[in-house]
Amino acid sequence: MSRSEPTATTAEQELEPMPAGWPSMLRIVRHGYRAEPKLLSASLAMTVLEALPDVLVAVWLALITRGIVNHDRDDLLLGALGLAASATATWALQVTLGRTKRRLGDRLNIYFQGYVATLQAKVATLEHHERPGYLDRIAVLRTGVFALDHLFASIFTMVGWFVRLAFVSVLLATIHPALLLLLLAALPLLVVATWRPKVEKAAEEAVAPHGRLGRHLFLLGTSAGPGKEIRVTGNQDDLRARRRRAWESWFAPQRAASLVTAAWLALTWAIFGVAFVVAVAWIAHRPGVTAASIVLVLAAGSRLTAYVGSAVGELGFLRGIWLDSAKRLAWLEDFAQSTAGTGTQAPPDRLTDGIRFDGVGFAYPGTTRRVLDGVDLHLPAGSVVAVVGENGAGKSTLVKLLARMYEPTAGRITVDGTDLSALDLRGWRERISGAFQDFARLEFRAHTTVGLGDLPRLDDRPAVAAAVERAGATPVVDQLAGGLETQLGPSWDDGVDVSFGQWQKLALARGYMRHEPLLLMLDEPTAALDAETEHAIFEQFTAGARSENDTGRVTILVSHRFSTVRMADLIVVLDGSRVAEVGSHEALMARGGLYAELYTIQAGAYA
């Protein structure tokens, strides 16, 4: 259904706040531990062990220095052996830990991709697809989900740096407790490292619409489908200019934010650097200081500098990329939970009264204009109902409400007297079926593409063949070299390309797969076909709907072609968000109202 551009309101910008960062990370860590407890525990243990030999290098250097100055072979030998042992242990732990983390990362990557896909599938409605703010969050999450496995590697690395900092602080304290003030000098660095990614991520999210536009224009300019029209109309230069402006609008604010945060980071590094130089100079000029102590300060201090720098950098990644991805995943968990259907009643086994709309109104999220307003309607059990009207009249919206893709903003819908929202959502959807104008192109074997309309009968070849026949798609299958075994989609080695109309017939067959639904919805399922073919399919379908209906099934046909729905039991005419007329074809023609007028106009066009 085509509908007017939504009118943005302030509510459009009011998104639910994302969960706090660190609690979100803990939720993700729990997921990771449940998925791979042994690998995660082993990685953490080796991370802690890896820190010790690295920190002890400063001790071994101090021993070697003391051995040289005092001509003490024992200190010299112990320091040399210690260096060798530290180097060996560090290498062994790095190799083992690296392999373990890669294995853990691969498994967690698979787990989190599947988990995000599952969460998105659990979102019960389509509301988030109508709100750019939600789309921006999900778009960033789709990129971030591939990095969630790196979150754990980043956590391990952070733990390793902080363990090293703890060890090296102990070494510095053994020389003089005042050297621990170096840790205070590092605090501004850590504060900026935590603040910087937040600012940069806010800038990234603020310009996300420009990024989406740039990607959209890039796909338009590089895809075969729109390429024909672009070349005929000569829009190449205009699209390139628009894409360039979109990317500039996307990049410039992010670059400005990065420059500001980089300046603050440089300032805090300067503060820490000055503090380190002062500390070394102070120790060197203390009375009675030994060469070994100076070497220990230099070695431990240099390691402190390296650890602080690495910790700051890793904290930036953790705070900016991995932690943000964790927040978005936690938000998606909460969002999917909040949109889950609350009904608990099982749908009826068969319909006796039918479906009723009582004062139903609906406005799309972020808009004020009602697409449906004050709709009162009775769809009798066992009937074939046609819904007609001009583009934007609310035909597809009515179907979406019945499928509970949205909840009415006013009034209610009842099924045999029970409020539709009180029915168990999954149970209700298992009892409905349909084919839609914006159908999915499932690039599988043809029998799978059709059979997915009723998953329990996916491999039921007679059922698939029957659905293909009912949809009038038998000629499509007959033209395929391997019949129902043919791989669809030209992007596969053995795949074949099919036309839009052929895809639509296969989608219609998929809609016929479900056995004895209570509600069958055909929302412009043959829009790509000519009027004569559509009429023949609808006529065949209507006859079958009347002869094979033991459940009181309500069948809804949505079409903008008035001539193809005259065989329906009941015709609902929508006009300007309201029900204008209801009746049979003969009754509506006799009334001489809107339906008769539009029918006559269309009939004249085909004459």
Side-chain angles (χ1 to χ4, degrees):
M1 179 196 71
S2 300
R3 60 183 180 87
S4 61
E5 187 73 17
T7 304
T9 67
T10 55
E12 175 62 39
Q13 307 302 325
E14 296 175 0
L15 299 179
E16 297 85 350
M18 287 196 291
W22 299 112
S24 299
M25 187 182 73
L26 290 177
R27 287 165 65 173
I28 305 309
V29 169
R30 284 196 293 268
H31 279 296
Y33 183 77
R34 285 196 294 266
E36 293 294 336
K38 293 181 180 179
L39 282 176
L40 195 146
S41 299
S43 297
L44 183 59
M46 283 188 285
T47 297
V48 174
L49 289 175
E50 187 187 23
L52 185 58
D54 187 37
V55 173
L56 288 177
V57 168
V59 176
W60 309 136
L61 290 175
L63 281 174
I64 290 173
T65 302
R66 191 170 68 184
I68 293 174
V69 172
N70 298 333
H71 303 287
D72 188 329
R73 288 187 176 183
D74 291 341
D75 284 347
L76 188 60
L77 181 60
L78 181 60
L81 291 175
L83 277 179
S86 286
T88 303
T90 299
W91 172 82
L93 286 168
Q94 282 180 345
V95 171
T96 306
L97 179 59
R99 292 177 178 176
T100 303
K101 288 198 295 187
R102 281 195 299 273
R103 187 179 177 189
L104 175 65
D106 290 342
R107 293 191 176 186
L108 290 179
N109 191 23
I110 295 171
Y111 169 79
F112 279 115
Q113 287 187 51
Y115 184 59
V116 169
T118 300
L119 285 177
Q120 288 191 274
K122 284 184 177 179
V123 176
T125 70
L126 296 176
E127 177 184 353
H128 58 293
H129 289 295
E130 303 288 342
R131 302 182 66 178
Y134 282 80
L135 291 177
D136 291 341
R137 283 188 178 179
I138 291 175
V140 175
L141 176 60
R142 284 174 179 165
T143 302
V145 67
F146 294 99
L148 279 173
D149 60 306
H150 296 298
L151 169 67
F152 291 84
S154 185
I155 291 174
F156 296 144
T157 303
M158 278 295 301
V159 169
W161 293 130
F162 280 117
V163 169
R164 287 172 171 83
L165 282 172
F167 286 161
V168 82
S169 297
V170 172
L171 288 179
L172 291 173
T174 61
I175 300 170
H176 197 287
L179 291 176
L180 293 178
L181 293 175
L182 282 174
L183 296 177
L184 293 179
L187 285 180
L189 265 174
L190 297 177
V191 171
V192 171
T194 303
W195 163 79
R196 183 185 188 190
K198 182 178 180 180
V199 173
E200 293 178 353
K201 183 59 65 174
E204 178 187 351
E205 190 161 300
V207 296
H210 298 296
R212 283 196 289 120
L213 177 60
R215 287 188 291 274
H216 170 67
L217 293 174
F218 176 79
L219 290 174
L220 281 180
T222 57
S223 301
K228 298 186 290 293
E229 180 177 343
I230 291 171
R231 285 163 176 76
V232 170
T233 56
N235 288 331
Q236 297 97 318
D237 292 338
D238 177 70
L239 288 178
R240 278 199 300 269
R242 290 175 185 270
R243 184 175 66 86
R244 184 170 58 251
R245 289 195 298 269
W247 283 123
E248 288 173 352
S249 299
W250 174 79
F251 176 73
Q254 294 187 77
R255 181 174 181 272
S258 297
L259 290 175
V260 171
T261 56
W264 279 102
L265 189 63
L267 177 62
T268 53
W269 263 116
I271 293 172
F272 180 75
V274 170
F276 177 64
V277 171
V278 170
V280 173
W282 177 68
I283 286 293
H285 287 84
R286 281 179 58 81
V289 68
T290 64
S293 296
I294 293 176
V295 169
L296 184 58
V297 170
L298 288 172
S302 65
R303 266 171 158 58
L304 176 66
T305 303
Y307 298 158
V308 168
S310 299
V312 166
E314 198 63 45
L315 186 61
F317 280 115
L318 184 63
R319 178 65 180 84
I321 300 178
W322 321 137
L323 192 60
D324 183 78
S325 298
K327 288 168 60 178
R328 291 174 189 278
L329 181 55
W331 165 78
L332 183 58
E333 284 184 321
D334 295 341
F335 180 62
Q337 181 63 34
S338 68
T339 59
T342 56
T344 57
Q345 296 188 41
D349 293 330
R350 65 186 311 276
L351 295 177
T352 55
D353 175 66
I355 300 172
R356 292 182 182 270
F357 286 70
D358 297 320
V360 171
F362 178 76
Y364 280 96
T367 70
T368 55
R369 184 180 71 86
R370 285 196 172 185
V371 183
L372 293 175
D373 190 16
V375 173
D376 293 308
L377 189 61
H378 179 214
L379 310 179
S383 64
V384 176
V385 181
V387 181
V388 297
E390 296 182 321
N391 289 339
K395 303 186 299 295
S396 290
T397 301
L398 185 144
V399 169
K400 291 175 184 177
L401 291 178
L402 286 172
R404 289 188 63 186
M405 299 300 173
Y406 300 91
E407 297 292 340
T409 52
R412 66 176 192 153
I413 302 172
T414 59
V415 179
D416 271 2
T418 301
D419 197 312
L420 181 58
S421 63
L423 298 180
D424 175 69
L425 179 59
R426 184 169 184 175
W428 171 245
R429 287 185 177 165
E430 287 176 351
R431 297 305 309 278
I432 66 177
S433 186
F436 307 92
Q437 56 179 315
D438 48 351
F439 56 87
R441 302 189 187 192
L442 305 177
E443 294 188 356
F444 302 114
R445 300 286 176 183
H447 70 81
T448 302
T449 298
V450 175
L452 282 170
D454 190 12
L455 194 57
R457 298 197 298 163
L458 175 63
D459 296 322
D460 187 340
R461 299 309 172 91
V464 172
V468 167
E469 184 176 359
R470 291 180 63 194
T474 301
V476 175
V477 174
D478 289 343
Q479 292 174 15
L480 301 176
L484 287 172
E485 297 301 319
T486 305
Q487 170 66 50
L488 303 177
S491 58
W492 308 102
D493 290 339
D494 56 345
V496 299
D497 195 12
V498 294
S499 69
F500 184 86
Q502 290 172 321
W503 274 118
Q504 194 166 52
K505 283 191 174 183
L506 292 173
L508 182 59
R510 190 161 58 247
Y512 284 141
M513 274 296 300
R514 185 155 282 172
H515 185 59
E516 296 185 346
L518 294 176
L519 175 65
L520 178 58
M521 303 169 292
L522 302 179
D523 180 13
E524 302 272 14
T526 53
L529 307 178
D530 59 83
E532 183 178 354
T533 302
E534 181 186 72
H535 180 82
I537 290 176
F538 274 23
E539 192 172 45
Q540 176 185 356
F541 169 74
T542 303
R546 292 194 178 105
S547 62
E548 303 171 4
N549 192 351
D550 297 327
T551 61
R553 178 178 63 245
V554 173
T555 301
I556 297 180
L557 309 175
V558 177
S559 179
H560 64 281
R561 291 169 177 159
F562 285 58
S563 60
T564 63
V565 298
R566 58 184 299 172
M567 72 290 293
D569 301 316
L570 194 69
I571 298 175
V572 178
V573 184
L574 294 177
D575 181 44
S577 77
R578 293 180 176 272
V579 175
E581 296 175 329
V582 179
S584 66
H585 171 75
E586 292 75 13
L588 293 177
M589 290 299 294
R591 183 180 301 174
L594 177 62
Y595 175 83
E597 177 186 350
L598 294 176
Y599 181 87
T600 303
I601 292 173
Q602 285 197 4
Y606 286 111

